Amino acid sequence: MTRVRVRELAGWLTALAIALIVTGQVAASGRSELLFRDGDSLVVALFAQSWLTGTPAHWAMSSVLFLPEAAVFAGLDAALPFDVNGVLAANAVVNLLALYGALRLVAGRRRDDGAPVAWALIGLAVFGALAMTETSSSRDALELASLLLTTTYYSATVIAVVLTIGLIRRFLVRQRQGTGLLVALAAVAALSTLSNPLFAVWATVPLTVVLAALALRSSARSQMLLPLGVLIGGTALGFVGRIPFAAWIANTGAGYAQPELWAQSIGYYTGLLADRLSTPLGVVGTLLTAALLAGAVIRSARSRDPSERLVALAAWVIPVLVVLGAIALGTHAARYLQPLAFAPVLALVAAPRALVIPHPRPLIAIGAALLLAASAFSVPRLASTVHTPDADLTCVTDWVDASGRTGAGQFWTVRLPKLHLADPAQLVQVDHRLNGYAWLVNRTDLDVGAVSFLVEDAQTVAWQLPLDVMPEEVIDCGRYRIVDFGSMSLPLGPPHS
């Protein structure tokens, strides 16, 4: 095995150790709510499970189709002997490994004065450090790095944006041998846009600005304009590819744009920043992000190499334009600002020069030993978190499995028990009036027409049932209650999303 292959293999093994450490820490914090239990976070797991079981599919998705995420989860679920939580944890590790691979692509090929593997690992470690400063259980907190560990919050889009920058950089370096890179760029842009049109906002629009600016200052404008044309063309092809999936897209996302609310948007995001700065870890994470942004600005100003300048510019232009765009459109969702977490890390791989370290071998040996020990400790820690008993959830799933009947519950209540049932179709998603709620769920569940019990918890809105009936029994399952109507059937109302 050549030295290059040994170096690359060592990089991947080190990235795996970092991914285990980061996942173990995030899963042990309040962020575990998003990883394993949050209603929004479970859509990919539910979607992938329906694939694997061959259930007839007529899904009601948001504007995001989660195609790459579902494929990864389904592959892991089929290959690993884990329960659902174990697969979700493994998926978090895989997402971080994918980020390393994307950063490694951006860092470029090894040169005599370069250390791309080392800097890609540093980038992953810094991103992981950001994720480990995030401990809130809220999906709306300005804690953006840890969202990559979930299966739902656009992990494939994050990786695709970084891959896109890496492919364009490699093309600028290789030029005449770059046909395959352009094909790969078109494919990434098309598939990413097909699955999530947010790719156009995070990558296509900002990189259009960056490449156009570089073209104006470069004598070789075609080098910049050719990948730009391919990126725009691939994005357009992705939008066309969404047409056959129109029946699955319950919300195109157009309603999320409310420009007249830009002032409220500023207030909302300012409040999230204030909450982030209210904790010591939040201050550390914010300062680290600010330092990366400042480094990106400095690197973009000093760099003379077009490929280095591309990466350095992308590291700060993308988050700046995304934040300004989110405010201009009047949005109120922290997850749209994820480029603030991952894009600044690109500054670390813009110019991956070799580090001059006196007596490096002892330091490398010590660092490797510490990393190995930390990752070894993280595995049982992660396993303990994954297998923490949830007696209340088990109470519900055991009762529903044994009943052989179909019940219903509201979105934030029913999705976790639904995921853990032997047959998820035994729990139907409804609103408080018992109308079918076709949102991030398989519409075929609603074909049952009627249910005979309801699952509720503290998040359940008071029921307004279509019939004046009394339950035969109420089963106490801790934070859950099962309201059982026995032989009585409660008809479901018309579905909506």
Side-chain angles (χ1 to χ4, degrees):
M1 186 178 291
T2 65
R3 292 180 61 185
V4 172
R5 291 182 178 179
V6 170
R7 188 180 296 112
E8 295 294 343
L9 177 60
W12 281 101
L13 292 175
T14 305
L16 175 60
I18 294 172
L20 288 170
I21 294 169
V22 174
T23 303
Q25 175 59 36
V26 173
S29 73
R31 228 54 185 150
S32 64
E33 188 69 21
L34 291 185
L35 286 179
F36 304 119
R37 292 177 290 277
D38 180 74
D40 270 349
S41 300
L42 305 180
V43 58
V44 169
L46 288 164
F47 188 25
Q49 283 189 350
S50 72
W51 275 9
L52 294 174
T53 57
T55 303
H58 183 37
W59 279 76
M61 292 296 200
S62 63
S63 57
V64 186
L65 296 174
F66 303 109
L67 299 180
E69 293 93 338
V72 171
F73 186 94
L76 292 172
D77 197 13
L80 299 175
F82 297 163
D83 61 10
V84 172
N85 283 351
V87 178
L88 288 170
N91 208 142
V93 174
V94 168
N95 287 351
L96 287 169
L97 284 175
L99 178 62
Y100 168 74
L103 290 172
R104 177 64 190 88
L105 181 71
V106 177
R109 307 181 74 176
R110 178 172 172 78
R111 300 176 300 181
D112 292 339
D113 63 340
V117 172
W119 280 105
L121 288 171
I122 291 171
L124 179 66
V126 170
F127 182 87
L130 281 173
M132 290 191 291
T133 67
E134 300 171 358
T135 58
S136 167
S137 62
S138 172
R139 72 186 70 84
D140 294 321
L142 199 63
E143 299 183 351
L144 306 172
S146 56
L147 295 181
L148 178 67
L149 278 69
T150 71
T151 58
T152 301
Y153 292 116
Y154 318 144
S155 57
T157 308
V158 172
I159 303 304
V161 174
V162 181
L163 282 176
T164 297
I165 295 167
L167 290 169
I168 295 175
R169 179 184 194 166
R170 294 286 182 111
F171 174 80
L172 294 181
V173 171
R174 298 177 68 176
Q175 298 175 24
R176 295 180 182 178
Q177 300 175 336
T179 303
L181 294 170
L182 292 179
V183 172
L185 174 61
V188 169
L191 177 60
S192 299
T193 307
L194 165 64
S195 182
N196 185 0
L198 199 60
F199 176 84
V201 179
W202 285 2
T204 308
V205 172
L207 289 177
T208 296
V209 174
V210 170
L211 288 169
L214 289 174
L216 290 175
R217 299 185 60 179
S218 173
S219 57
R221 293 184 180 180
S222 62
Q223 297 177 16
M224 307 295 173
L225 297 181
L226 183 55
L228 174 57
V230 171
L231 175 61
I232 294 174
T235 302
L237 185 62
F239 277 113
V240 172
R242 290 174 62 82
I243 295 174
F245 293 91
W248 281 24
I249 300 173
N251 187 339
T252 63
Y256 295 147
Q258 298 176 297
E260 68 278 6
L261 300 181
W262 66 268
Q264 291 92 321
S265 184
I266 291 177
Y268 176 77
Y269 291 123
T270 300
L272 293 184
L273 178 59
D275 291 340
R276 179 78 170 130
L277 292 172
S278 65
T279 65
L281 285 177
V283 172
V284 170
T286 303
L287 290 177
L288 182 55
T289 299
L292 290 171
L293 286 169
V297 172
I298 294 171
R299 172 62 63 187
S300 64
R302 291 180 176 178
S303 178
R304 295 295 176 264
D305 181 275
S307 68
E308 290 181 5
R309 182 174 291 174
L310 164 76
V311 178
L313 281 171
W316 67 268
V317 170
I318 289 177
V320 167
L321 290 183
V322 167
V323 170
L324 292 177
I327 292 172
L329 293 175
T331 63
H332 291 75
R335 61 186 181 275
Y336 297 149
L337 306 187
Q338 283 186 72
L340 271 174
F342 70 83
V345 175
L346 294 169
L348 298 171
V349 293
R353 306 283 190 267
L355 300 173
V356 179
I357 304 174
H359 310 294
R361 290 186 178 180
L363 292 177
I364 292 174
I366 293 172
L370 292 175
L371 196 63
L372 181 62
S375 61
F377 171 75
S378 295
V379 172
R381 184 187 191 192
L382 183 57
S384 175
T385 302
V386 165
H387 297 298
T388 299
D390 188 339
D392 299 346
L393 176 62
T394 301
C395 174
V396 173
T397 56
D398 285 351
W399 190 94
V400 176
D401 284 337
S403 74
R405 294 184 280 128
T406 301
Q410 295 173 27
F411 182 90
W412 297 111
T413 302
V414 79
R415 293 179 70 79
L416 181 61
K418 182 179 180 66
L419 176 63
H420 288 265
L421 288 175
D423 179 9
Q426 280 188 266
L427 281 178
V428 179
Q429 191 170 284
V430 297
D431 64 15
H432 68 291
R433 293 178 177 174
L434 222 60
N435 296 319
Y437 186 42
W439 181 249
L440 305 183
V441 74
N442 195 343
R443 293 186 181 99
T444 59
D445 290 351
L446 302 173
D447 293 344
V448 67
V451 297
S452 60
F453 64 87
L454 303 174
V455 178
E456 59 185 31
D457 65 2
Q459 301 180 87
T460 299
V461 177
W463 296 104
Q464 296 180 17
L465 300 180
L467 300 175
D468 185 14
V469 294
M470 295 294 293
E472 290 187 3
E473 184 182 8
V474 176
I475 296 90
D476 183 9
C477 285
R479 69 179 185 274
Y480 294 104
R481 292 198 326 157
I482 302 173
V483 183
D484 183 18
F485 294 90
S487 59
M488 174 69 69
S489 290
L490 302 177
L492 300 180
H496 66 93
S497 60

